[in-house]
Amino acid sequence: MHFELNEEQLMIQQAARDFAQQELKPGVIERDEHQKFPAEQVKKMGELGFLGMMVDPKYNGSGLDTISYVLVMEELSKIDASASVVVSVNNSLVCYGLEKYGSEAQKEKYLKPLAAGEKIGAFCLSEPEAGSDATSQRTTAEDKGDYYLLNGTKNWITNGSTASTYLVIAQTHPELKHKGINAFIVEKGMEGFTVGPKENKLGIRGSDTHSLMFNDVKVPKENRIGEDGFGFKFAMKTLEGGRIGIAAQALGIAQGAFDLATQYAKERKSFGKPISEHQAIAFKLADMATQIEAARLLVYKAAWLKDQGLPYTQAGSMAKLYASKVAMDVTIEAVQVHGGYGFVKEYHVERLMRDAKITQIYEGTSEIQKMVISREVIR
Ligand code: CAA
């Protein structure tokens, strides 16, 4: 067993770190304040190959491993989780799903521009009444011969208005329950497809979250992914990898907050010495560092399992469950270490605290991760 990153991974980590400092940090407070999507920055991340990291170069991807992907997610998330969620969704939920389960024609038409970062993708599973209970899809896709007629509403969709390619999960055969669900590729601009207003959120405010409405949208048959009835499995398998990406995001948020808290604690003086020399603060930093390291090991292990072609369902859920809890705990403590300064926007930690919360909710809440883990360990 060895814990070192290889040269390529170190190089990619450094590239992401530099990008986050130079391109994401300036303006991150303003984008959060005004809920502004980091459009320019996403374009540049596409040019750097961050939007199709694990995709085969023959489909315009970077052909990298999952470890490199989590390293990039971690570095970007230290600074701007609104930007990193775009990377996570595009890589894990959209590109991965299309490359693994799409037809050759779908890969040519849809995967190539997504992996190159020329287009952005969205993954549309959640509905007003089907969040955690994902088998209860109300969106319907009626089989009309050479097309499906799509009707329904999707909620809280990341990249809702900025995406061009949407993977939409819908029910075709309600009597078959989850075995009747399909996944479809829907293009922006298809007649009957509309995007609702942007959600006004607690955190990741720069990210573009919308509901989507489908009203008699004609989706060509060739846009169905996989066999008839494969949609629920498609969503589950895709989310398994997505959870590793979000775990890495949570890890980055925690590390970003820890770095700020440590730096502040060394500079800020009270009672005649830096506050880092007061045990009350020093022990907080010790706890934070230990939690972050444990989360990192879980995240890297899950990514490593995926790279080895070994099962990673349980490892991915454990990584997400734990890292998201660490992100929440560490960011709260980072605000506390900063005292009054922590409560104002210029010091960044209050944003990281708000951003941390979503990692316990999206791509399966912490309660869902416990369901997945408990089923695996009992099995
Ligand atoms: N891989 C393959 N198949 C799986 C699977 C997996 N990981 N998990 C479940 N399945 C299969 C089961 O085998 C079963 O199929 P069979 O009957 O053929 O065996 C079928 O799916 C139904 O499974 P369950 O009986 O376990 O279904 P359930 O309703 O009890 O639980 C669940 C399923 C795990 C709770 C699932 O509903 C779930 O993951 N819910 C959370 C949904 C979620 O993560 N949403 C996130 C939205 S996306 C998002 O947030 C993206 C974003 O924008 C950032």
Side-chain angles (χ1 to χ4, degrees):
M1 182 185 284
H2 57 90
F3 288 94
E4 296 95 21
L5 300 173
N6 66 32
E7 240 173 73
E8 187 181 62
Q9 290 161 343
L10 285 169
M11 220 175 66
I12 288 154
Q13 183 184 46
Q14 190 60 50
R17 190 171 291 162
D18 292 345
F19 178 82
Q21 283 297 332
Q22 290 158 17
E23 304 284 344
L24 294 180
K25 198 165 179 190
V28 65
I29 293 173
E30 198 206 334
R31 289 195 299 275
D32 170 74
E33 180 94 10
H34 300 294
Q35 301 200 84
K36 193 167 169 249
F37 183 75
E40 268 172 52
Q41 291 79 358
V42 169
K43 188 168 176 284
K44 287 183 183 163
M45 290 194 290
E47 287 158 9
L48 283 170
F50 289 171
L51 293 179
M53 290 195 68
M54 294 162 290
V55 174
D56 191 317
K58 77 176 179 197
Y59 300 116
N60 293 341
S62 305
L64 294 165
D65 58 8
T66 316
I67 297 279
S68 301
Y69 166 56
V70 299
L71 292 171
V72 167
M73 280 301 298
E74 192 181 335
E75 291 303 324
L76 302 177
S77 307
K78 281 183 188 174
I79 306 293
D80 188 355
S82 294
S84 72
V85 72
V86 181
V87 174
S88 181
V89 167
N90 207 68
N91 275 286
S92 297
L93 299 184
V94 183
C95 286
Y96 174 83
L98 284 173
E99 186 171 25
K100 177 97 179 160
Y101 302 108
S103 67
E104 208 43 49
Q106 289 169 348
K107 289 180 204 181
E108 279 296 319
K109 185 169 177 191
Y110 296 108
L111 177 59
K112 279 186 162 180
L114 288 163
E118 292 156 11
K119 287 187 175 170
I120 301 177
F123 181 81
C124 315
L125 173 68
S126 303
E127 297 186 351
E129 291 174 82
S132 290
D133 183 9
T135 60
S136 298
Q137 294 288 305
R138 302 264 167 99
T139 298
T140 54
E142 220 181 313
D143 190 342
K144 293 284 192 187
D146 54 356
Y147 66 90
Y148 286 90
L149 203 57
L150 195 63
N151 278 289
T153 301
K154 294 289 173 182
N155 260 26
W156 312 294
I157 302 304
T158 305
N159 303 337
S161 78
T162 42
S164 305
T165 307
Y166 300 76
L167 305 189
V168 181
I169 313 298
Q171 180 56 269
T172 302
H173 313 282
E175 69 288 359
L176 299 179
K177 304 208 165 116
H178 65 268
K179 289 185 167 68
I181 290 174
N182 278 309
F184 300 94
I185 305 166
V186 176
E187 291 177 37
K188 179 179 263 162
M190 280 182 169
E191 209 181 322
F193 171 24
T194 48
V195 177
K198 187 166 179 162
E199 299 290 355
N200 186 1
K201 308 190 297 284
L202 170 75
I204 57 160
R205 288 170 55 80
S207 133
D208 177 44
T209 312
H210 294 256
S211 49
L212 307 176
M213 278 70 77
F214 304 96
N215 187 11
D216 283 343
V217 180
K218 283 184 178 175
V219 182
K221 203 136 218 184
E222 65 265 22
N223 281 26
R224 190 187 72 209
I225 301 173
E227 293 298 305
D228 190 17
F230 178 64
F232 192 71
K233 289 235 170 135
F234 170 82
M236 291 296 106
K237 296 311 288 176
T238 306
L239 276 168
E240 281 182 358
R243 286 166 185 164
I244 301 176
I246 299 303
Q249 181 184 51
L251 172 63
I253 293 172
Q255 184 68 54
F258 173 79
D259 292 346
L260 291 168
T262 310
Q263 189 188 334
Y264 179 83
K266 288 199 282 192
E267 286 164 6
R268 171 75 171 171
K269 290 199 172 82
S270 75
F271 305 101
K273 55 184 179 182
I275 62 170
S276 59
E277 290 176 26
H278 294 300
Q279 200 178 65
I281 300 299
F283 279 17
K284 273 191 203 304
L285 296 176
D287 281 339
M288 291 154 87
T290 308
Q291 286 174 294
I292 290 170
E293 196 52 25
R296 179 169 290 113
L297 291 173
L298 283 172
V299 174
Y300 290 10
K301 165 100 182 281
W304 179 84
L305 286 169
K306 184 165 182 282
D307 285 335
Q308 302 309 306
L310 294 167
Y312 57 92
T313 310
Q314 181 180 323
S317 282
M318 282 180 167
K320 183 179 182 290
L321 174 67
Y322 189 73
S324 61
K325 168 89 167 73
V326 168
M328 205 63 252
D329 292 352
V330 165
T331 53
I332 288 174
E333 286 295 63
V335 171
Q336 191 68 19
V337 168
H338 279 77
Y341 290 107
F343 209 62
V344 295
K345 294 192 185 268
E346 284 74 14
Y347 283 76
H348 296 281
V349 282
E350 64 81 35
R351 184 187 72 257
L352 291 166
M353 184 183 85
R354 288 185 284 104
D355 287 352
K357 187 61 207 166
I358 191 63
T359 65
Q360 295 185 302
I361 297 172
Y362 59 19
E363 300 205 22
T365 61
S366 295
E367 292 73 17
I368 289 296
Q369 305 313 324
K370 288 184 189 179
M371 254 173 88
V372 173
I373 297 163
S374 60
R375 286 175 180 184
E376 289 285 323
V377 296
I378 292 163
R379 192 158 61 90

